[in-house]
Amino acid sequence: MSVYSMTGYASAQHSSDRPSSEAESKSAPPNHLGLEIRSVNSRFLDLSFKLPEELRQYEPVLRELLVSRLKRGKVEVRAAIESNVQSSVVDPTPRLLQRLNAVQDNVKAWLPDAAPLSVADVIRLAAGELGANCDWSETILTLARQALEEMLSARQREGARLATMLLDRLGQIRALAALAVPLVPQLVAQQRQRFLDRWQEAMALTDGSTLPEAARDRALTEATAFAIRIDVAEEVTRIQSHLDEIERLIKKGGELGKRLDFLIQELHREANTLGSKSAALELTHISVDMKVLIEQMREQVQNIE
């Protein structure tokens, strides 16, 4: 399966055929419907719709379509109807004119100073009525499916780019972990020799009140305790385990954003522990470099579905 980003955009347009005669133009509905879908990252699936009143009735079916294909993201659906009034003047029907006249008389009865309807008002209301009476059910669903498929393709392409970047960062962190492994035995050996050197210096200055064997055992005990404190083998092992799991999930694909987010947090905690146990500048640099790479991964994982 593919890795999907939660960021995407797509739009679709539909234009009805131009009327073939003047008679048909009198009842022609608005001839253009545009729909767009845009998506950004979100912890959950958050849908919002900005539709004109003529299309508000189709919101439930649009919501059902999106829920069936999307799992996460803040998704906004916009649609707009453009009428053909500029290229073809709509001729109001006698029934509509009677209704408008009755409404105007009723308004005038309560508001004598209200301005009367103009010819432009009547034409605009006639065009609006035609748009309201038009059945857009099949058209809007077709446009929504088309835009959704295009947006999913865009999210898939962006997801592939994110997956490539994450795999690259995983490789860099693996290389840093590999550098950390041989440093610990070297540090332990250096510290052990340092303790023994100090023991020998102390024995040269002692007046014989301290047994050499006891002093030597104490020095070795301190060296052992130091080795335990700076041993990062367990942290390195857990880091490698988290890296393996992240790589497995990325290659598997699907809905993995939340799982990756959790693993990135665990990876960051192990890198912090690695730094806190650091007894050498080299390990400190490795820990800092790891955390920089992990933070880069965290920012991108927020965009994965």
Side-chain angles (χ1 to χ4, degrees), residues 1-300:
M1 295 178 66
S2 301
V3 175
Y4 285 88
S5 167
M6 285 186 283
T7 303
Y9 171 84
S11 64
Q13 312 291 327
H14 171 80
S15 295
S16 61
D17 295 333
R18 180 178 295 274
S20 58
S21 67
E22 183 178 353
E24 291 177 351
S25 68
K26 296 180 180 181
S27 59
N31 72 337
H32 185 81
L33 172 62
L35 183 142
E36 63 179 25
I37 305 176
R38 62 183 70 215
S39 172
V40 295
N41 61 316
S42 175
R43 292 185 62 190
F44 308 100
L45 181 59
D46 181 10
L47 303 179
S48 63
F49 297 86
K50 296 187 176 181
L51 308 175
E53 287 302 321
E54 298 93 327
L55 303 177
R56 183 66 62 185
Q57 58 183 312
Y58 306 118
E59 180 177 326
V61 69
L62 291 175
R63 182 180 296 273
E64 183 180 356
L65 174 64
L66 295 178
V67 169
S68 68
R69 301 295 303 277
L70 302 175
K71 303 301 180 184
R72 294 176 64 197
K74 182 177 178 60
V75 183
E76 180 183 89
V77 179
R78 289 176 176 264
I81 299 174
E82 296 179 7
S83 77
N84 197 28
V85 173
Q86 292 182 349
S87 59
S88 174
V89 177
V90 177
D91 188 3
T93 63
R95 180 180 179 184
L96 175 62
L97 292 174
Q98 290 175 357
R99 286 170 51 200
L100 291 177
N101 188 53
V103 170
Q104 180 173 246
D105 290 343
N106 192 29
V107 171
K108 283 283 189 180
W110 290 93
L111 302 172
D113 296 332
L117 287 171
S118 66
V119 173
D121 292 334
V122 173
I123 293 175
R124 178 175 52 82
L125 291 170
E129 183 188 43
L130 288 174
N133 293 333
C134 182
D135 182 9
W136 292 103
S137 56
E138 287 192 18
T139 303
I140 195 169
L141 270 178
T142 300
L143 293 183
R145 292 191 186 100
Q146 178 184 338
L148 181 58
E149 290 299 329
E150 291 180 4
M151 189 187 73
L152 287 174
S153 296
R155 286 171 58 147
Q156 184 179 17
R157 291 192 298 272
E158 177 67 12
R161 188 189 67 80
L162 294 178
T164 300
M165 187 280 291
L166 291 175
L167 291 174
D168 175 71
R169 300 302 187 274
L170 289 179
Q172 295 184 50
I173 296 174
R174 286 188 194 279
L176 291 172
L179 292 176
V181 172
L183 288 177
V184 177
Q186 296 174 15
L187 293 172
V188 172
Q190 292 171 7
Q191 190 65 19
R192 178 188 178 91
Q193 186 59 46
R194 191 178 298 118
F195 278 128
L196 290 175
D197 292 342
R198 288 172 57 190
W199 166 73
Q200 291 174 355
E201 292 173 2
M203 288 299 97
L205 299 174
T206 186
D207 57 1
S209 59
T210 303
L211 294 177
E213 292 79 5
R216 185 174 183 277
D217 289 343
R218 181 176 179 181
L220 292 176
T221 300
E222 291 183 9
T224 302
F226 173 79
I228 293 173
R229 287 197 306 273
I230 69 167
D231 185 11
V232 295
E234 186 177 350
E235 284 72 22
V236 172
T237 299
R238 283 199 289 264
I239 286 173
Q240 292 172 337
S241 175
H242 293 329
L243 295 176
D244 290 341
E245 181 63 11
I246 292 173
E247 183 174 357
R248 185 189 70 82
L249 288 173
I250 292 174
K251 291 181 176 179
K252 178 183 176 183
E255 186 183 352
L256 66 157
K258 292 182 180 179
R259 178 76 173 165
L260 286 180
D261 189 47
F262 170 76
L263 289 171
I264 292 295
Q265 292 180 31
E266 294 299 303
L267 199 59
H268 192 271
R269 185 173 67 175
E270 298 300 336
N272 267 334
T273 305
L274 183 68
S276 66
K277 284 188 173 184
S278 174
L281 190 59
E282 294 90 337
L283 273 177
T284 301
H285 287 164
I286 288 174
S287 173
V288 171
D289 290 343
M290 276 187 177
K291 287 190 283 188
V292 170
L293 293 169
I294 292 169
E295 189 60 32
Q296 292 174 359
M297 294 176 66
R298 186 205 303 274
E299 292 177 359
Q300 300 305 324

